[in-house]
């Protein structure tokens, strides 16, 4: 039991002393782009570069485009998981 606690404590200390950020975390490129676009729209609105009506319209367009990307990705995954129909008879 002491050895187990020693190993867990050692891993904790090593994990806390890591100075570089982890590079192998999976990131969603579409969501990152969506988030950056919304942040930029909000920034433009707060800096009074665009009106509130323009902000709402552009935000709605960005959200609709992102939703279409998500739907197409889900459809692609769903189609890959479906069994392929047999078109020929076995001899």
């Amino acid at each position: 039991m002491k050895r187990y606690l020693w190993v867990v404590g050692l891993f904790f200390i090593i994990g806390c002393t890591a100075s570089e950020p982890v590079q192998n975390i999976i990131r969603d490129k579409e969501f990152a782009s969506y988030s950056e676009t919304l942040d930029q729209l909000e920034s433009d609105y707060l800096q009074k570069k665009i009106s509130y009506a323009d902000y709402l319209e552009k935000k709605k367009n960005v959200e609709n485009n992102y939703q279409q990307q998500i739907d197409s990705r889900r459809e692609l995954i769903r189609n890959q998981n479906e069994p392929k129909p047999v078109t020929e008879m076995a001899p």
Side-chain angles (χ1 to χ4, degrees):
M1 184 69 180
K2 287 183 180 181
R3 185 175 290 165
Y4 175 74
L5 290 175
W6 174 253
V7 171
V8 170
L10 184 64
F11 282 138
F12 179 75
I13 292 170
I14 291 171
C16 291
T17 60
S19 61
E20 296 179 14
V22 178
Q23 298 295 326
N24 59 358
I25 295 176
I26 298 173
R27 299 190 191 281
D28 185 1
K29 294 176 191 174
E30 284 82 12
F31 180 75
S33 173
Y34 164 76
S35 180
E36 287 175 12
T37 305
L38 285 183
D39 289 345
Q40 184 60 44
L41 277 175
E42 185 176 355
S43 175
D44 288 347
Y45 169 67
L46 292 174
Q47 294 175 2
K48 300 186 181 193
K49 293 179 181 177
I50 59 175
S51 68
Y52 185 66
D54 290 337
Y55 167 72
L56 289 178
E57 182 180 339
K58 290 179 181 182
K59 180 180 175 189
K60 184 177 178 181
N61 289 337
V62 169
E63 289 173 345
N64 287 338
N65 288 338
Y66 179 67
Q67 188 61 45
Q68 288 175 353
Q69 289 175 348
I70 295 297
D71 292 342
S72 66
R73 194 183 329 173
R74 284 186 183 150
E75 190 64 32
L76 180 67
I77 292 170
R78 187 176 297 130
N79 289 339
Q80 287 178 351
N81 291 336
E82 289 180 358
K84 296 179 180 171
V86 178
T87 56
E88 296 181 9
M89 297 182 78

